[in-house]
Amino acid sequence: MLNRFVEFINTGNEDLAHEVISPDAVFHAPSHPEPLRGPDGYLEVIGMMRSAFPDVQWTLEETVTEGDTVAARFTMRGTHDGEFFGIPASCNKISVQAMNFYYLVDGRIVGERGQPDLLGVMQQIGAIPAP
Protein backbone atom coordinates (compact mmCIF):
# COMPACT_ATOMS: atom_id res chain seq x y z
CA MET A 1 0.00 0.00 0.00
CA LEU A 2 2.78 2.46 0.86
CA ASN A 3 4.35 1.94 -2.57
CA ARG A 4 1.09 3.11 -4.17
CA PHE A 5 1.05 6.08 -1.78
CA VAL A 6 4.60 7.04 -2.82
CA GLU A 7 3.52 6.78 -6.45
CA PHE A 8 0.62 9.12 -5.61
CA ILE A 9 2.74 11.78 -3.88
CA ASN A 10 5.33 11.68 -6.66
CA THR A 11 2.73 12.10 -9.43
CA GLY A 12 -0.19 13.94 -7.78
CA ASN A 13 -2.51 11.44 -9.49
CA GLU A 14 -6.05 12.05 -8.21
CA ASP A 15 -7.20 8.49 -8.94
CA LEU A 16 -4.37 7.13 -6.79
CA ALA A 17 -5.27 9.63 -4.05
CA HIS A 18 -8.77 8.17 -3.85
CA GLU A 19 -7.37 4.62 -3.95
CA VAL A 20 -4.94 5.01 -1.02
CA ILE A 21 -6.58 7.72 1.13
CA SER A 22 -9.86 7.29 2.97
CA PRO A 23 -12.48 10.02 2.43
CA ASP A 24 -12.53 10.41 6.24
CA ALA A 25 -8.75 10.76 6.58
CA VAL A 26 -7.31 13.52 8.76
CA PHE A 27 -3.85 14.96 8.08
CA HIS A 28 -1.82 17.19 10.35
CA ALA A 29 0.64 19.20 8.26
CA PRO A 30 2.97 21.88 9.63
CA SER A 31 2.00 24.08 6.66
CA HIS A 32 -1.64 24.29 7.78
CA PRO A 33 -2.92 25.32 11.22
CA GLU A 34 -6.04 23.15 10.91
CA PRO A 35 -6.10 19.47 9.90
CA LEU A 36 -6.72 18.66 6.25
CA ARG A 37 -9.26 16.01 5.31
CA GLY A 38 -9.57 13.26 2.73
CA PRO A 39 -7.87 12.89 -0.64
CA ASP A 40 -8.60 16.53 -1.53
CA GLY A 41 -6.80 17.74 1.60
CA TYR A 42 -3.75 15.71 0.71
CA LEU A 43 -3.88 16.93 -2.87
CA GLU A 44 -3.85 20.50 -1.49
CA VAL A 45 -0.55 19.84 0.31
CA ILE A 46 0.93 18.15 -2.76
CA GLY A 47 -0.17 21.12 -4.88
CA MET A 48 1.47 23.57 -2.47
CA MET A 49 4.73 21.62 -2.61
CA ARG A 50 4.62 21.28 -6.41
CA SER A 51 4.02 25.02 -6.84
CA ALA A 52 7.26 25.73 -4.94
CA PHE A 53 9.22 22.67 -6.06
CA PRO A 54 7.76 21.52 -9.41
CA ASP A 55 10.16 18.58 -9.67
CA VAL A 56 9.70 17.42 -6.05
CA GLN A 57 10.14 13.69 -5.48
CA TRP A 58 9.94 11.66 -2.32
CA THR A 59 12.03 8.52 -1.80
CA LEU A 60 10.83 6.09 0.85
CA GLU A 61 13.97 5.20 2.81
CA GLU A 62 12.61 2.95 5.56
CA THR A 63 9.47 1.93 7.38
CA VAL A 64 8.54 0.38 10.70
CA THR A 65 5.08 -1.16 10.97
CA GLU A 66 3.19 -2.05 14.11
CA GLY A 67 -0.38 -3.19 13.57
CA ASP A 68 -2.12 -0.53 11.47
CA THR A 69 0.50 2.16 12.15
CA VAL A 70 3.44 2.79 9.84
CA ALA A 71 6.39 5.03 10.62
CA ALA A 72 8.14 6.11 7.44
CA ARG A 73 11.31 8.06 6.72
CA PHE A 74 11.49 9.85 3.39
CA THR A 75 14.03 11.92 1.53
CA MET A 76 12.44 14.84 -0.29
CA ARG A 77 14.35 16.33 -3.23
CA GLY A 78 13.48 19.15 -5.57
CA THR A 79 14.35 22.54 -7.02
CA HIS A 80 13.01 25.73 -5.47
CA ASP A 81 11.41 27.23 -8.60
CA GLY A 82 8.38 28.88 -6.97
CA GLU A 83 7.42 30.80 -3.84
CA PHE A 84 7.58 28.79 -0.60
CA PHE A 85 6.14 30.32 2.60
CA GLY A 86 6.68 33.76 1.10
CA ILE A 87 10.26 33.06 -0.03
CA PRO A 88 10.72 33.74 -3.75
CA ALA A 89 12.25 31.08 -5.97
CA SER A 90 15.99 30.65 -5.41
CA CYS A 91 16.51 27.85 -7.98
CA ASN A 92 18.42 26.01 -5.24
CA LYS A 93 18.28 22.22 -5.08
CA ILE A 94 17.06 20.78 -1.79
CA SER A 95 17.39 17.38 -0.16
CA VAL A 96 15.81 16.92 3.28
CA GLN A 97 14.39 14.16 5.44
CA ALA A 98 10.82 13.75 6.66
CA MET A 99 9.41 11.43 9.32
CA ASN A 100 5.73 10.57 9.01
CA PHE A 101 3.32 8.34 10.89
CA TYR A 102 0.47 6.81 8.89
CA TYR A 103 -2.63 5.26 10.40
CA LEU A 104 -4.36 2.63 8.26
CA VAL A 105 -7.80 1.02 8.17
CA ASP A 106 -8.60 -1.65 5.57
CA GLY A 107 -5.42 -0.85 3.63
CA ARG A 108 -6.16 2.88 3.25
CA ILE A 109 -4.67 5.86 5.05
CA VAL A 110 -7.03 7.37 7.60
CA GLY A 111 -4.52 9.69 9.23
CA GLU A 112 -1.03 11.10 9.04
CA ARG A 113 1.24 13.16 11.21
CA GLY A 114 4.24 14.45 9.29
CA GLN A 115 7.43 16.16 10.39
CA PRO A 116 9.42 17.37 7.38
CA ASP A 117 12.75 19.08 8.01
CA LEU A 118 11.43 22.59 7.35
CA LEU A 119 14.53 24.15 8.94
CA GLY A 120 16.67 22.27 6.41
CA VAL A 121 14.42 23.41 3.56
CA MET A 122 14.58 27.05 4.66
CA GLN A 123 18.38 26.87 4.98
CA GLN A 124 18.80 25.20 1.61
CA ILE A 125 16.62 27.76 -0.21
CA GLY A 126 18.58 30.59 1.44
CA ALA A 127 15.74 31.90 3.64
CA ILE A 128 17.81 31.52 6.83
CA PRO A 129 21.55 31.09 7.32
CA ALA A 130 22.94 27.57 7.47
CA PRO A 131 25.22 26.82 10.44
Side-chain angles (χ1 to χ4, degrees), residues 14-34:
E14 289 186 36
D15 291 335
L16 278 173
H18 291 277
E19 176 185 323
V20 298
I21 298 171
S22 169
D24 302 325
V26 176
F27 303 101
H28 300 273
S31 57
H32 292 71
E34 296 298 319

Side-chain angles (χ1 to χ4, degrees), residues 101-116:
F101 285 91
Y102 297 95
Y103 307 97
L104 309 175
V105 171
D106 297 326
R108 292 170 89 188
I109 297 172
V110 296
E112 178 199 62
R113 286 201 179 264
Q115 290 298 315

